[in-house]
Amino acid sequence: MKLGILNATKPQDEAAFQLWELANFQAFFDRIPHNCELIEYRVTEGEFPVSTACDAYLITGSPQGVYDPEPWIAELATCIRGLYVAEKRLVGICFGHQMLAHTLGGHTEKSAKGWGMGLRRFTITAIQPWMDPRLETGQLYFCHQDQVARLPENAQRLAGNAFCPNAIFTIGKQVLGIQGHPEFSEEYMRALITELAPVAGAEVTLAAAATLAEGAPDDQIMARWIINFIKQ
């Protein structure tokens, strides 16, 4: 199976944050058995797939917001709509999650609640067959200011918490959005907290750093869920 990685992080931002999306997602999926071939598309550079190129597509995180007036974001929205009409499976992580919701009838905005950063726990509110192994609650690393404020009318919320109610959602068997970053390692999350301290502020980053001692994220389970979802 070919999984297209729609890389929504600019090359200069990858270099600044020392995180290369394709390699990071390859390592993430390699934590479990799978037979997916990952193919990268640098959408910030104008590289978009034709709908028949891959079996499913994953949209990565990004420092940008879905409402930013950058041409590639509008092009990505057009691409998403085309892939949706072509009935391709679509997965979104953080920015990708927000972009899917925003493009397909929902609304994403900068949240008045501020930064969601660190290891965050959420409650599973609906179970689907592909969510195996099952969880009643889960936790992932998060790093975001924007949130999906309103889901598309045909979407179903699967998980959330008081801070981020729409943490995971689906649209039928075709679209899966995850606000957290299951692909982040603890080492990278710790480095990102330090990097963002001048922007997010000491109070936010100190609290975020403290959460890293509260256990491990459910990254392998989330990898299995994503693979199960795109293969269902």
Side-chain angles (χ1 to χ4, degrees), residues 151-157 169-172:
L151 290 171
E153 288 186 6
N154 56 342
Q156 180 181 18
R157 182 168 68 95
F169 78 93
T170 54
I171 299 176

Short mmCIF file of all heavy atoms in Angstrom, two decimals, residues 151-157 169-172:
data_model
loop_
_atom_site.label_atom_id
_atom_site.label_comp_id
_atom_site.label_asym_id
_atom_site.label_seq_id
_atom_site.Cartn_x
_atom_site.Cartn_y
_atom_site.Cartn_z
N LEU A 151 -16.79 20.87 14.11
CA LEU A 151 -16.58 19.75 13.20
C LEU A 151 -17.52 19.86 12.00
O LEU A 151 -18.60 20.46 12.10
CB LEU A 151 -16.84 18.43 13.91
CG LEU A 151 -15.82 18.00 14.96
CD1 LEU A 151 -16.34 16.77 15.71
CD2 LEU A 151 -14.47 17.68 14.33
N PRO A 152 -17.16 19.27 10.87
CA PRO A 152 -18.11 19.16 9.76
C PRO A 152 -19.38 18.44 10.21
O PRO A 152 -19.34 17.61 11.12
CB PRO A 152 -17.34 18.33 8.72
CG PRO A 152 -15.90 18.55 9.04
CD PRO A 152 -15.84 18.70 10.53
N GLU A 153 -20.50 18.76 9.59
CA GLU A 153 -21.79 18.20 10.00
C GLU A 153 -21.80 16.67 9.95
O GLU A 153 -22.48 16.03 10.76
CB GLU A 153 -22.92 18.76 9.12
CG GLU A 153 -23.25 20.21 9.41
CD GLU A 153 -24.46 20.68 8.63
OE1 GLU A 153 -25.10 19.84 7.96
OE2 GLU A 153 -24.78 21.89 8.71
N ASN A 154 -21.08 16.09 9.01
CA ASN A 154 -21.09 14.63 8.86
C ASN A 154 -19.96 13.96 9.62
O ASN A 154 -19.69 12.77 9.43
CB ASN A 154 -21.03 14.25 7.39
CG ASN A 154 -19.84 14.85 6.67
OD1 ASN A 154 -19.22 15.81 7.15
ND2 ASN A 154 -19.51 14.32 5.50
N ALA A 155 -19.29 14.69 10.50
CA ALA A 155 -18.17 14.13 11.27
C ALA A 155 -18.65 13.55 12.60
O ALA A 155 -19.70 13.93 13.12
CB ALA A 155 -17.12 15.20 11.54
N GLN A 156 -17.85 12.65 13.15
CA GLN A 156 -18.12 12.08 14.46
C GLN A 156 -16.91 12.31 15.35
O GLN A 156 -15.78 11.99 14.97
CB GLN A 156 -18.40 10.58 14.37
CG GLN A 156 -18.68 9.93 15.72
CD GLN A 156 -18.93 8.44 15.65
OE1 GLN A 156 -18.58 7.80 14.65
NE2 GLN A 156 -19.52 7.86 16.68
N ARG A 157 -17.14 12.85 16.53
CA ARG A 157 -16.06 13.04 17.50
C ARG A 157 -15.79 11.71 18.19
O ARG A 157 -16.71 11.08 18.71
CB ARG A 157 -16.45 14.10 18.54
CG ARG A 157 -15.34 14.39 19.56
CD ARG A 157 -15.68 15.62 20.37
NE ARG A 157 -16.82 15.42 21.24
CZ ARG A 157 -16.73 15.07 22.53
NH1 ARG A 157 -15.54 14.87 23.08
NH2 ARG A 157 -17.81 14.91 23.25
N PHE A 169 -11.39 12.92 15.37
CA PHE A 169 -12.68 12.82 14.70
C PHE A 169 -12.54 11.99 13.43
O PHE A 169 -11.44 11.79 12.91
CB PHE A 169 -13.26 14.20 14.37
CG PHE A 169 -12.65 14.86 13.15
CD1 PHE A 169 -13.23 14.69 11.90
CD2 PHE A 169 -11.52 15.65 13.26
CE1 PHE A 169 -12.68 15.29 10.76
CE2 PHE A 169 -10.96 16.25 12.15
CZ PHE A 169 -11.54 16.07 10.89
N THR A 170 -13.66 11.52 12.94
CA THR A 170 -13.71 10.83 11.66
C THR A 170 -14.86 11.36 10.82
O THR A 170 -15.82 11.93 11.36
CB THR A 170 -13.90 9.30 11.81
OG1 THR A 170 -15.07 9.06 12.61
CG2 THR A 170 -12.70 8.64 12.42
N ILE A 171 -14.75 11.17 9.54
CA ILE A 171 -15.89 11.32 8.62
C ILE A 171 -16.03 9.97 7.93
O ILE A 171 -15.21 9.61 7.09
CB ILE A 171 -15.67 12.44 7.59
CG1 ILE A 171 -15.49 13.79 8.30
CG2 ILE A 171 -16.85 12.50 6.62
CD1 ILE A 171 -15.18 14.94 7.35
N GLY A 172 -17.05 9.23 8.35
CA GLY A 172 -17.27 7.89 7.82
C GLY A 172 -16.03 7.02 7.96
O GLY A 172 -15.34 7.04 8.99
#
